[in-house]
């Protein structure tokens, strides 16, 4: 008897990479590692593997450029696509580019594979200045606060949900 196996590829930005600080990665705490752990608990008869294709500073458009190399050539079963934080730096003017990039990532993945796809909305940024903001991000804290508090990041999350709905893709 062969053991069933599932290959998950996580494509995204620094959140997907698991970046915590300068040259520090939280390999066990990153969301896809947590998903793998939960799946292993629920399906102990199956082997789960995850390829981390996260890249610091990456936008959804940059993900398109890496799609073939980092995702499509693997015989994967599930693709997690997580972008939005870096894209949101482009303010509302970048929203259409972000949405179009997500659509392209979905379309190209579907054309090349039979993998399931899950889009991830961008996670929240700080709501207020605080001591938990890492030193390396202090120089852009004001920008982060604006994106979070003035609805820009919410618009990107809404866009991801709408792209998922229109393309029949699950969104987390």
């Amino acid at each position: 008897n062969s053991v069933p196996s599932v290959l998950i590829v996580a494509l995204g930005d620094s959140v997907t990479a698991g970046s915590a600080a300068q040259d520090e990665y939280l390999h066990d705490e990153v969301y896809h590692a947590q998903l793998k752990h939960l799946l292993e608990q629920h399906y102990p008869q199956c082997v789960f593997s995850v390829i981390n294709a996260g890249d610091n500073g990456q936008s959804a458009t940059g993900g398109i450029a890496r799609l073939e190399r980092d995702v499509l050539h693997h015989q994967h079963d599930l693709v997690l696509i997580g972008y939005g934080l870096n894209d949101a730096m482009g303010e509302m003017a970048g929203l259409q580019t972000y949405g179009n990039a997500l659509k392209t990532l979905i379309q190209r993945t579907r054309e090349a594979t039979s993998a399931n796809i899950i889009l991830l909305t961008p996670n929240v940024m700080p709501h207020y200045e605080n001591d938990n903001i890492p030193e390396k991000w202090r120089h852009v804290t004001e920008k982060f606060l604006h994106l979070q508090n003035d609805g820009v990041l919410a618009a990107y999350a809404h866009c991801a949900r709408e792209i998922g709905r229109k393309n029949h893709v699950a969104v987390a």
Side-chain angles (χ1 to χ4, degrees), residues 14-41:
S14 59
V15 173
T16 298
S19 180
Q22 188 72 30
D23 299 324
E24 181 184 343
Y25 292 88
L26 304 175
H27 299 290
D28 296 329
E29 290 87 5
V30 66
Y31 70 86
H32 46 77
Q34 293 294 313
L35 174 62
K36 178 183 182 283
H37 179 70
L38 289 170
L39 290 169
E40 288 169 340
Q41 287 180 329

Side-chain angles (χ1 to χ4, degrees), residues 60-124:
T61 303
I64 294 169
R66 296 186 308 113
L67 188 65
E68 181 66 38
R69 182 194 76 189
D70 292 352
V71 178
L72 299 182
H73 83 273
H74 299 288
Q75 298 298 313
H76 53 275
D77 302 290
L78 175 63
V79 177
L80 307 172
I81 300 172
Y83 288 105
L85 292 179
N86 298 311
D87 302 90
M89 297 297 272
E91 303 274 344
M92 298 304 274
L95 197 55
Q96 185 173 354
T97 299
Y98 170 71
N100 288 339
L102 291 180
K103 285 187 267 189
T104 299
L105 288 166
I106 292 167
Q107 178 185 14
R108 290 191 184 165
T109 300
R110 282 184 169 158
E111 287 170 356
T113 75
S114 61
N116 290 304
I117 302 168
I118 298 176
L119 288 182
L120 303 161
T121 61
N123 53 295
V124 298

Side-chain angles (χ1 to χ4, degrees), residues 133-146:
I133 299 171
E135 185 61 39
K136 77 174 190 173
W137 298 117
R138 294 274 176 197
H139 70 286
V140 290
T141 298
E142 188 174 316
K143 176 78 168 186
F144 288 169
L145 295 173
H146 157 67

